[in-house]
Amino acid sequence: MITSKPRLVGIDLGTTNICAAMVRGRTPRMMELDQGKTALPAVINVSGGGKYVIGAAARDLLVTDPKNTIYGSKRLIGRQFNSLVVEELRHYFPYEIVEGDAGCAAVRLNGETLSLTDLSARILAHVKAQVERSAGETVPEAIISVPAYYNDNQRQAVKEAGARAGFTVRRIVNEPTAAALAFGFNRAFNEKVLIYDLGGGTFDVSVLQIAGNVFEVVATGGDSFLGGVDLDNRVIDYVLSDIRHAHKADLADDPVAMQRIKNAAEAAKIDLSLIPNAVISLPCLFEKKGRPVDVTIPLSRECLNDLTSDIIGKTFDICRKVMESNRLNTGDIDEVILVGGQSRMPLVQQLIERNFGKPPRKGVHPDECVAIGSALLGEALGSSGSVTLIDVLSMPIGIALSNGSFRKIIDKNSTVPVSMTFRLPTPKSPDACFLSLDIFQGDNEMVVDNEFLGTLRVPVAAAGRKVEFRLNTEALLEVVVEMPDGPQRIELTTCDTPLILRKALDEERQRRESQATEEELSRSAAERPGFLNSIMRLFGRS
Ligand code: AMP
C-alpha cells in the first residue's frame, strides 16, 4: 500500500512580509497568500470584538488605527518584557507593549492583553488557510524559518505559534540555511557560498559549505537593527528638509502627510533599483494659507546612493568581520547569494562585485528563496539521507555569575546538536531551600547586555550535581539535571526577572525619563517629534 506523505509548507516568517512555498512534483512553487500576491505583509490589526485583519488590509490601518495595528512582531516574539531591547522598542512602536504571562513581552489592544506568540499564531493560521485554499487540500505540516541570530526563547516561541496555528512544525530552520538549500539542493555543488540577506529591518550574513546535499554553516553574523527601513528614513529626512526649505513647513507631526511621504520615499527607492531617476510626487500634501500645496522632488540613483552609502557600507563591514573572525578570505567564496528585498539595490550589487571580485549569483529569487528552501527541506526530510544540515549556535549560552559577568557554557559557532555539562554550585546561604541559576544568551561579557532565557531552579540538595545543556539540531535548549533517581529535564522559569537585570532596567528607565524632560524643555513644540514619527520609522532605530 502506498501512503502519501502529509502535505507540508515552507514558511518564511519575515519582518516585513511572510511568504510560503510548497513542493509539487519535485518543483517548489510560491503560494498565494494575500489577494493573489505571494507576499503577505506581516501586519495584524485587532479591533473591538476580537475581529482580526491581517496583511495588506491591516497595513492600510497603520495610520488610522496605529495603537491596535501590530507590525514588527518578529522583533518582539519570545522576548522578555523586562529586557533592554524591549525597553528600547517600546519607545518606537505606537502600540502598547506590556508584561504578559511568564514575564514575556505582550501587547495591549482594545483593552485585551495578547501574547506575541498568540498574534503570530493568528497570522500563521491565516497563512495556513490561504495555503490550503490555493492548494485545494489540507496542509498539516510546516517548516518555519527564523533568523540565524534568534535566541532559544525566540525559536521556542515561533515553534509554539506554529503549533497553535494548527501546524505540526516539522522543524525550525535558519533563514540563510534555507536560502542555501534553494540554491544548491540536488545540484551536486561543492562550493563555499556567502548569503547576504538585507531585508526590511535586519541584515544577516552566513557562509556555508555546500558539498552535494550537505549544507554546513561555517560562519554567521549580522545586525538585527539594520535594513531597508533605515534607507527609507534617509529619503524621508531628505524630503522633509526639502519641504522645510522650499515651503517653510514642518510636516513631522502630520500623520497623514508623514505616511504619504513614507510610502512615496519607499516607492522611489524601489524604482531607483530599475531606473536612474525617479520623482517623488505628492499632490495636495498639505495646506498653506488655506491653499493646497503640491510637492514634487526629483531623486536620482546617485543621490540615493549618497544618502545611504554609509548604511550599505556597514553591511560590508559586518561581512568583513565575519570572514576575518573565521579566517576566511574573499577568494574563498565561490558564490555570493542575495536574499531580502533591499539586496536588489544596484549599489549592493556593485559593492558585492567590488568586495568579492565577482557579481552576485543570478537565478536565486531574493524574496522567495527562504520559503522555497524551507519547502525543499520538508520534501527531503522524509527521504533518508537526502539532505544533511550542519548548523551552528549563533550566540553563546551561559549562566550569570554573582558579579554580573557571563560564564559561557556553550560557545558561539558550536555545531549543533551539542551538549555541555557543568556542576551546580553550592548555595551562598546555608538556609537556602532552592538553588537558582539564571541562564542567558548573547555575545556580551556582562549578562545585562545579553538576553535572559530563564532561571533553573532546583532543590538545594542538587548542589554539586551535574547539569547538562543540550541543544538539538534546531538549536533549541533542554536543561537536564542529574538527580538521585536519574537525569531529569527541568523547565526554565521566566516569571522573575533577575535582580541584576531589574537594576539595569531601572537605570535605563530613569535615564530615558531625565533625557525626555531635558528634551521637552529645550525644544519648541513645533520641533518636537510626535509619536507618529514612530509609524514612519516602522522598524528602524532612529
Ligand atoms: P524583505 O524584508 O526581504 O521583504 O525586504 C523588504 C525591504 O526591501 C523593504 O525595505 C523594501 O523597501 C525593500 N525592497 C523591496 N524591493 C526592492 C527593490 N526592488 N529595490 C530596493 N529595495 C527593495
Side-chain angles (χ1 to χ4, degrees), residues 170-188:
R170 289 289 303 280
R171 218 193 127 127
I172 294 290
V173 62
N174 284 340
E175 288 163 5
T177 308
L181 273 157
F183 164 68
F185 182 62
N186 272 352
R187 295 177 79 182

Side-chain angles (χ1 to χ4, degrees), residues 16-17 199-200 228-229 232 266 269-270 273 340-342 344-345 367:
T16 327
N17 291 306
V229 72
D232 299 347
E266 185 179 5
K269 175 194 79 173
I270 292 175
S273 291
Q342 193 57 54
R344 293 186 186 178
M345 185 182 190
D367 299 323

Side-chain angles (χ1 to χ4, degrees), residues 22 42 104 119 125 166 194 199 234 281 337 351 373 391 396 433 435 453 478 497 505 512 540:
M22 284 180 76
C104 283
L119 283 176
L194 181 136
R234 291 288 171 84
S281 173
I337 293 169
L351 290 175
D391 232 315
C433 302
L435 259 178
L453 295 185
E478 229 182 62
T497 309
L505 274 166
R512 271 184 191 280

Side-chain angles (χ1 to χ4, degrees), residues 12 14-19 39 74 197-202 227-232 262 265-274 304 339-346 366-367 539:
D12 171 8
T15 314
T16 327
N17 291 306
I18 297 162
C19 294
K74 186 172 178 177
D197 180 355
L198 187 58
T202 58
V229 72
D230 296 301
L231 282 84
D232 299 347
K262 188 223 169 302
E266 185 179 5
K269 175 194 79 173
I270 292 175
D271 283 350
L272 289 172
S273 291
L274 274 182
L304 176 69
V339 181
Q342 193 57 54
S343 72
R344 293 186 186 178
M345 185 182 190
D367 299 323
F539 319 113

Side-chain angles (χ1 to χ4, degrees), residues 46 60 85 104 114 119 143 156 200 219 310 313 434 440 446 475 488:
V46 185
D60 293 343
V85 174
C104 283
L114 289 162
L119 283 176
I143 292 207
Q156 304 269 15
D310 62 315
F434 285 94
F440 285 80
M446 301 307 285
Q488 195 182 326

Side-chain angles (χ1 to χ4, degrees), residues 487-533:
Q488 195 182 326
R489 190 181 157 191
I490 311 277
E491 288 291 336
L492 303 184
T493 60
T494 49
C495 305
D496 294 323
T497 309
L499 189 64
I500 187 157
L501 208 52
R502 264 186 280 150
K503 268 169 92 182
L505 274 166
D506 286 345
E507 277 166 24
E508 175 60 17
R509 283 171 188 154
Q510 272 167 20
R511 189 191 64 76
R512 271 184 191 280
E513 265 171 36
S514 56
Q515 193 184 7
T517 320
E518 272 171 34
E519 275 174 18
E520 197 81 356
L521 291 171
S522 66
R523 284 183 181 195
S524 73
E527 284 177 318
R528 205 176 302 143
F531 86 89
L532 286 148
N533 274 359

Side-chain angles (χ1 to χ4, degrees), residues 419-422 424 439 456 458 465-471 477-483 486-492:
S419 104
M420 293 303 244
T421 52
F422 61 99
L424 277 170
I439 299 172
L456 171 70
V458 284
R465 291 194 181 280
K466 237 174 28 188
V467 185
E468 188 181 356
F469 279 10
R470 285 184 195 162
L471 283 179
L477 176 70
E478 229 182 62
V479 179
V480 176
V481 179
E482 204 177 80
M483 294 301 217
Q488 195 182 326
R489 190 181 157 191
I490 311 277
E491 288 291 336
L492 303 184

